[in-house]
Amino acid sequence: MTGGATTGTDGPPDPATAVPGPAALLRLTDVSKSYGNVRALRGVCLDVRAGEITCVLGDNGAGKSTLIKIVAGLHPHDSGSYTVGGEEVRHTSPRQALDRGIATVHQDLAVVPLMPVWRNFFLGSEPTRGRGPLRRLDTAAMRATTHRALLRMGIDLRDVDQPIGTLSGGERQCVAIARAVHFGAKVLVLDEPTAALGVKQAGMVLKYVAAARDRGLGVVLITHNPHHAYLVGDRFVLLKRGAMSGSHLKKDITLDELTREMAGGSELDELTHELSRATPDEPVRTTPDSSEPESNA
């Protein structure tokens, strides 16, 4: 590898100087988080910039979920700095993060399966018409707005009145992405959006992730799949046991190198050696040789 910003035993690079480019929409610097005696994150740095996708990769237990919770405002960080648009913040609720333009699409999507698509699209932000006792939901506006917002993202659903639970997993992810874009998100955080999806549906979701980037959003893609990350990512942050094990620009790392680094490199070599078996000199016979005399026993 050449020239990528990497981490080592001396700690992560300074995100303010490691990677040139436009100012970050969101930046974490040396952020740490503990739950009692358990150190979930330590010294993590993250830059999210407009029109770029930053992929955070790691296996289960690497600290990805804790990172999401800090960015989304579910849990405050213990140390380090968290800035949004250059202003240091300390979110104590998801609403505070959302008010600053940080929208998080969790893996479970938080949808109501039996409600129609348009109702889920506006869930919690429903426009109304009329006043006093005559006040009611503006259903016509919600239907029309949902249809237009989905079309702007290139999503053409058969009917926005159909229950969202009847959509495929990939389609529900795309609706969630379009919703975040419509409501003015500047930073979009996606938690494992392609997990448990087939190849075709995962490709569809990645297409709309790229569309959100092209609309000028800063996207954080949390995943354990380096192949999906490399298809759309501009930056890659690797986590291992709560700490950064690498930070790279796409131009500085190949897919094979990214996969190897995520897999642990030397650990993978050691596992390969342990699992390999020497080829026997002769094949093991599973049936008696008819040329040998049968036992009289």
Side-chain angles (χ1 to χ4, degrees):
M1 288 177 290
T2 61
T6 59
T7 61
T9 56
D10 295 332
D14 179 359
T17 59
V19 182
L25 295 173
L26 180 153
R27 173 173 289 160
L28 303 184
T29 306
D30 291 329
V31 163
S32 298
K33 178 68 180 178
S34 297
Y35 299 99
N37 294 327
V38 178
R39 195 84 176 270
L41 285 181
R42 58 184 185 277
V44 172
C45 298
L46 181 70
D47 263 12
V48 182
R49 306 179 187 225
E52 291 187 356
I53 297 175
T54 300
C55 299
V56 179
L57 300 102
D59 287 327
N60 293 335
K64 303 191 304 296
S65 295
T66 301
L67 182 63
I68 291 173
K69 290 172 182 176
I70 291 173
V71 172
L74 284 167
H75 294 172
H77 55 289
D78 293 337
S79 61
S81 69
Y82 178 0
T83 62
V84 178
E87 176 188 356
E88 187 155 355
V89 300
R90 187 175 182 81
H91 295 147
T92 57
S93 73
R95 172 53 62 182
Q96 291 179 348
L98 194 57
D99 289 343
R100 288 189 168 95
I102 302 168
T104 303
V105 178
H106 295 280
Q107 199 168 341
D108 58 10
L109 295 179
V111 298
V112 183
L114 296 180
M115 283 186 175
V117 172
W118 64 265
R119 190 72 172 84
N120 276 277
F121 193 89
F122 279 93
L123 197 61
S125 303
E126 296 87 347
T128 58
R129 58 188 304 180
R131 294 182 179 180
L134 298 179
R135 188 178 182 185
R136 61 193 184 277
L137 294 178
D138 193 347
T139 56
M142 285 190 279
R143 285 188 177 96
T145 301
T146 299
H147 184 66
R148 287 196 304 268
L150 294 177
L151 281 179
R152 280 197 298 268
M153 290 290 293
I155 304 168
D156 189 10
L157 290 183
R158 295 178 297 275
D159 184 6
V160 295
D161 278 304
Q162 68 185 105
I164 200 167
T166 64
L167 302 182
S168 68
E171 288 173 327
R172 289 197 297 271
Q173 285 282 355
C174 295
V175 170
I177 293 170
R179 182 185 190 277
V181 172
H182 173 74
F183 283 99
K186 297 177 182 177
V187 175
L188 178 62
V189 183
L190 301 169
D191 178 16
E192 298 279 5
T194 59
L197 296 182
V199 174
K200 185 175 181 179
Q201 288 195 27
M204 175 176 64
V205 171
L206 292 175
K207 172 185 173 182
Y208 294 118
V209 171
R213 173 198 60 197
D214 294 342
R215 291 178 68 89
L217 276 71
V219 180
V220 181
L221 175 63
I222 311 291
T223 182
H224 64 272
N225 190 319
H227 295 271
H228 291 170
Y230 202 79
L231 281 173
V232 296
D234 299 292
R235 304 165 181 269
F236 307 101
V237 172
L238 292 95
L239 297 181
K240 182 178 180 181
R241 298 174 186 172
M244 291 177 67
S245 61
S247 179
H248 310 276
L249 295 177
K250 186 171 186 176
K251 67 182 180 64
D252 297 325
I253 191 169
T254 66
L255 174 58
D256 288 343
E257 290 169 334
L258 183 66
T259 303
R260 179 178 174 79
E261 187 169 330
M262 182 180 170
S266 60
E267 295 178 13
L268 185 62
D269 290 339
E270 183 178 345
L271 178 62
T272 302
H273 178 71
E274 290 178 359
L275 295 178
S276 64
R277 294 183 298 178
T279 304
D281 294 334
E282 295 181 359
V284 177
R285 291 183 299 185
T286 57
T287 57
D289 191 330
S290 58
S291 63
E292 294 182 359
E294 294 184 1
S295 172
N296 293 327

